[in-house]
Amino acid sequence: MAKVSVIMPVYNTNENYLREAIGSILAQTFTDFEFLIIDNGSREYIKEIIASYKDSRITYYRIETNCGPAGARNYGIERCNGKYIAFFDSDDIALPERLEKQVAYLEQHPETGCLGTSAEFFGENSKGMHFCDAKKHKDIELHLILGGCVFCQSSVMVRKYVLDTYHIRYRDDCVPAEDYGFYVDLIGKTEFRVLEDVLTYYRFYNANTSNQRKLEQAAKSLFVRHTALTSFAGQLNGKAELVFKLMQNMPFTADELKNLGTAITELTDVLAVRGHSKEDVLQILKRDFRKMYYHTRTLCGQWNLLTSPLNKIFNLPLGWRLMCLITRGIL
């Protein structure tokens, strides 16, 4: 059996992008891997492209009726034999040392079961885009619970026994944020880590999922955040929904803002038990609170925000708050 199973679903991928992706896996410096290509109901040309490669490490599977991205990855998980599973998308690029460096790290750190690499965006409209910079376990876990997805899906390697032991698979109810849901389900089961080295290039272009299903992906990401909040931060004596409302950047009444302060204090206490500092929790939630100023377009709403005790908790400057009052509440 190969040590690593690379799982790559394909659905009508541009031929040039697909060949770049396949070539980047076949060019890996680490060679003890099987390469499972899951054709998820694509047009006939995909089969012809895969057939043009004569590398014995490639195993081609075809699903006649498209079963979605979660189903295709789960199909691969059920059929792979490696100790480690490396996930990869059919339009991205893996740098030559990706598998080698990830295997070396996992061999030396048995406590880590989900390992990503640093990644860079490339392609049209990708300028200025970047992934979350959380690299250590506690930072990643906290961001998954409160902030959103951390990993570039095409950079992730996991221990297969962790998935099998805890019966973790990709969930259809999280598509098209199924990767985020997958990592949230791993919280408490293993440790996370992201390597500092950039070993993955994520292709961003008009036809990829992040563009085509942007609004749906944002909605599903909120759904996963809500699941994570209620699962790993407790019920907060009924105040969890106020924190979730903050995450959605929805308007608050003056009374709700007062109760939100209490909820955040309780949340920091709950997460402290998991080893997360108050400062780290507030740093993530501060981003959401600042967004409330941007999304509030009434004088009353801006005044409630301006005078809220939460400004002291999040250390928001008075001058900046007054500017929001003028530009969004008055003008």
Side-chain angles (χ1 to χ4, degrees), residues 249 286-297 302 305 320 324 327-328:
N249 312 126
K286 180 178 181 178
R287 178 190 64 182
D288 291 316
F289 189 63
R290 284 175 61 94
K291 286 182 180 179
M292 288 179 63
Y293 277 90
Y294 296 132
H295 290 280
T296 300
R297 296 286 176 175
Q302 283 289 339
L305 288 172
W320 180 83
C324 290
T327 58
R328 291 171 175 81

Side-chain angles (χ1 to χ4, degrees), residues 177-228:
E178 72 282 352
D179 52 340
Y180 181 22
F182 179 78
Y183 308 133
V184 166
D185 286 343
L186 283 169
I187 294 175
K189 316 297 192 306
T190 190
E191 291 198 4
F192 304 99
R193 185 79 182 196
V194 173
L195 298 179
E196 295 284 350
D197 296 349
V198 174
L199 297 171
T200 307
Y201 289 151
Y202 175 84
R203 190 187 303 271
F204 189 83
Y205 58 105
N206 289 333
N208 71 355
T209 299
S210 296
N211 260 328
Q212 292 292 308
R213 304 178 71 179
K214 181 166 32 177
L215 294 179
E216 186 182 355
Q217 191 173 61
K220 284 296 182 179
S221 293
L222 272 174
F223 164 74
V224 177
R225 287 176 80 185
H226 185 255
T227 301

Side-chain angles (χ1 to χ4, degrees), residues 59-187:
T59 303
Y60 171 75
Y61 294 97
R62 176 171 174 82
I63 302 171
E64 290 301 327
T65 302
N66 185 287
C67 62
R73 291 195 184 103
N74 290 338
Y75 186 95
I77 292 172
E78 298 300 333
R79 288 160 179 77
C80 68
N81 298 301
K83 179 180 179 181
Y84 306 118
I85 299 175
F87 295 109
F88 193 59
D89 288 344
S90 61
D91 48 8
D92 294 334
I93 295 175
L95 273 66
E97 294 183 320
R98 178 203 158 180
L99 298 184
E100 179 182 351
K101 290 189 175 183
Q102 286 186 293
V103 169
Y105 186 91
L106 290 173
E107 294 283 280
Q108 296 170 17
H109 299 84
E111 73 284 358
T112 301
C114 182
L115 177 66
T117 78
S118 295
E120 289 184 357
F121 285 87
F122 77 106
E124 56 196 69
N125 303 321
S126 65
K127 186 177 180 180
M129 301 184 70
H130 59 86
F131 288 95
C132 175
D133 59 2
K135 298 291 188 290
K136 297 181 180 179
H137 170 68
K138 287 298 180 184
D139 296 332
I140 294 170
E141 181 182 83
L142 184 62
H143 200 91
L144 288 173
I145 293 173
L146 295 180
C149 194
V150 173
F151 298 96
C152 169
Q153 174 69 14
S154 283
S155 79
V156 171
M157 183 179 285
V158 298
R159 295 182 189 272
K160 188 173 189 295
Y161 87 83
V162 174
L163 303 188
D164 291 342
T165 299
Y166 296 102
H167 309 291
I168 293 174
R169 295 294 186 266
Y170 287 89
R171 293 164 45 189
D172 283 324
D173 63 340
C174 294
V175 175
E178 72 282 352
D179 52 340
Y180 181 22
F182 179 78
Y183 308 133
V184 166
D185 286 343
L186 283 169
I187 294 175

Side-chain angles (χ1 to χ4, degrees), residues 187-317:
I187 294 175
K189 316 297 192 306
T190 190
E191 291 198 4
F192 304 99
R193 185 79 182 196
V194 173
L195 298 179
E196 295 284 350
D197 296 349
V198 174
L199 297 171
T200 307
Y201 289 151
Y202 175 84
R203 190 187 303 271
F204 189 83
Y205 58 105
N206 289 333
N208 71 355
T209 299
S210 296
N211 260 328
Q212 292 292 308
R213 304 178 71 179
K214 181 166 32 177
L215 294 179
E216 186 182 355
Q217 191 173 61
K220 284 296 182 179
S221 293
L222 272 174
F223 164 74
V224 177
R225 287 176 80 185
H226 185 255
T227 301
L229 177 66
T230 54
S231 297
F232 303 105
Q235 295 303 312
L236 303 180
N237 296 321
K239 300 187 184 71
E241 292 306 315
L242 281 176
V243 179
F244 184 56
K245 191 173 181 179
L246 169 65
M247 291 177 173
Q248 298 175 83
N249 312 126
M250 295 176 67
F252 279 70
T253 65
D255 287 340
E256 284 179 327
L257 284 172
K258 292 177 183 177
N259 291 329
L260 177 61
T262 303
I264 289 175
T265 299
E266 293 179 6
L267 176 62
T268 58
D269 292 340
V270 169
L271 292 176
V273 177
R274 298 186 66 87
H276 301 296
S277 72
K278 176 180 179 180
E279 291 74 19
D280 289 341
V281 173
L282 293 179
Q283 187 61 37
I284 292 178
L285 294 179
K286 180 178 181 178
R287 178 190 64 182
D288 291 316
F289 189 63
R290 284 175 61 94
K291 286 182 180 179
M292 288 179 63
Y293 277 90
Y294 296 132
H295 290 280
T296 300
R297 296 286 176 175
T298 65
L299 178 59
C300 179
Q302 283 289 339
W303 179 257
N304 288 337
L305 288 172
L306 177 70
T307 57
S308 170
L310 286 167
N311 293 295
K312 184 176 182 180
I313 294 177
F314 291 120
N315 195 28
L316 293 182

